[in-house]
Amino acid sequence: MKNQSVIFFDIDGTLLTHDKKLPPLTKEAIFNLKEQGHLVAIATGRAPFMFEGLRKELGIDTFVSYNGQYVVLNGEVLYTNPLNSLSLEKLAKTALHRNHPIVYMDHLDMKANVPEHEYIKESIATLKIDRFPAHDPLYYKGRALYQSLLFCPEGEEKQYEQEFKDFDFVRWHPVSVDIVPKGGSKAIGIQKIVKELGLSEENVYAFGDGLNDTAMLSMVKNSVAMGNAEERVQKVAKYVTKSVEDNGIHYGLQMVGLL
């Protein structure tokens, strides 16, 4: 397609409402884009197994997951960026002494290093997914992990930021923080896909609402922040659409001229 564009969508608070529902008008807009010949992709902090159902529902097989650490183009793995295993092992031992559990995550599953913890239950429950991390304290051994979750109250991640320079810590819940490789972001994952497709920056769009979307929205020329995004997220985007609850995707796609 001569004027094909690629449009990246965050999931939580962007494609899905805060009740994890996909608005009918959003679904209609996605299929409209595909009918026009555009490539629709997902860019999320979630693991691939956490949005498999959504991908099937929307017919999407291109995605940036784990905040840029596991990237798939047309069903094929294009790029991976695993965590430093030695540093992660050291971090996990430190966190256990502070009663801060860890969940290890690869592209297939996630396992907790403690049998149970209230913070894990509380935060994972908000994702409304059909799986919960089982206990396997040695899951980090012998496999590539693309993200982990550190469970601690707001502000307490600062001590880890000082101690573990191999990682970035991105808060997504009052008691949970994403652990990703230093410098890793959705923006890097998007760059890998765009380069492989050979598209110009004018043909790249991104929609998001969270703090982990700021790098993506800053980098993509045609960036759209959701109306429900924090002000600091909206400030880095070129456009601001309505909230996810108010059909912000459909409205935003009209705003940028794709619908």
Side-chain angles (χ1 to χ4, degrees):
M1 178 183 171
K2 185 177 179 180
N3 293 314
Q4 183 185 46
S5 292
V6 58
I7 306 97
F8 294 90
F9 295 97
D10 170 53
I11 294 179
D12 301 287
T14 301
L15 282 178
L16 300 184
T17 67
H18 295 92
D19 292 329
K20 307 307 176 189
K21 303 294 185 182
L22 178 66
L25 208 53
T26 295
K27 184 174 181 178
E28 179 183 312
I30 297 301
F31 281 99
N32 191 317
L33 291 173
K34 293 172 65 178
E35 288 168 5
Q36 293 182 51
H38 299 305
L39 179 62
V40 178
I42 284 173
T44 181
R46 289 191 181 213
F49 56 81
M50 289 183 176
F51 60 101
E52 188 174 0
L54 181 63
R55 296 202 309 271
K56 289 181 178 178
E57 182 177 359
L58 297 176
I60 293 175
D61 58 7
T62 294
F63 59 86
V64 173
S65 63
Y66 282 136
N67 288 313
Q69 317 320 313
Y70 191 85
V71 179
V72 170
L73 175 61
N74 296 323
E76 300 292 332
V77 178
L78 177 65
Y79 169 78
T80 61
N81 183 31
L83 295 162
N84 182 299
S85 58
L86 293 178
S87 295
L88 183 62
E89 182 177 5
K90 183 180 178 182
L91 187 154
K93 289 179 179 178
T94 300
L96 275 179
H97 285 301
R98 298 169 178 165
N99 193 30
H100 295 160
I102 299 284
V103 165
Y104 303 114
M105 310 174 81
D106 64 4
H107 63 296
L108 297 174
D109 208 350
M110 58 180 172
K111 303 290 184 181
N113 68 344
V114 296
E116 60 179 28
H117 196 285
E118 188 59 38
Y119 288 171
I120 299 179
K121 293 179 182 178
E122 179 184 337
S123 56
I124 297 296
T126 65
L127 296 174
K128 299 188 185 297
I129 56 177
D130 59 0
R131 105 168 49 188
F132 190 81
H135 179 219
D136 185 351
L138 301 180
Y139 196 69
Y140 66 90
K141 289 186 175 291
R143 57 170 44 86
L145 301 177
Y146 303 105
Q147 183 170 290
S148 289
L149 302 178
L150 169 67
F151 297 86
C152 63
E154 290 189 68
E156 293 189 19
E157 71 274 16
K158 300 298 182 184
Q159 56 193 323
Y160 296 96
E161 292 173 356
Q162 295 297 320
E163 297 171 57
F164 298 95
K165 301 300 186 180
D166 287 341
F167 306 130
D168 284 331
F169 299 85
V170 184
R171 184 162 293 278
W172 65 276
H173 185 276
V175 296
S176 188
V177 176
D178 291 333
I179 305 171
V180 297
K182 190 72 175 180
S185 70
K186 294 181 182 183
I188 291 176
I190 288 173
Q191 287 174 333
K192 299 293 182 181
I193 290 176
V194 172
K195 182 179 179 181
E196 186 70 16
L197 292 173
L199 293 175
S200 68
E201 62 178 12
E202 286 77 15
N203 294 107
V204 183
Y205 298 77
F207 287 70
D209 75 297
L211 293 177
N212 63 338
D213 293 319
T214 54
M216 170 181 78
L217 296 176
S218 299
M219 185 269 296
V220 171
K221 185 171 183 178
N222 302 300
S223 59
V224 185
M226 304 300 290
N228 47 276
E230 291 185 27
E231 185 178 354
R232 52 182 161 166
V233 178
Q234 294 184 6
K235 282 184 176 180
V236 303
K238 184 175 181 180
Y239 305 97
V240 177
T241 183
K242 296 180 179 180
S243 75
V244 61
E245 313 285 348
D246 195 23
N247 294 311
I249 293 297
H250 186 270
Y251 184 83
L253 289 169
Q254 289 181 321
M255 183 187 303
V256 300
L258 287 173
L259 288 184

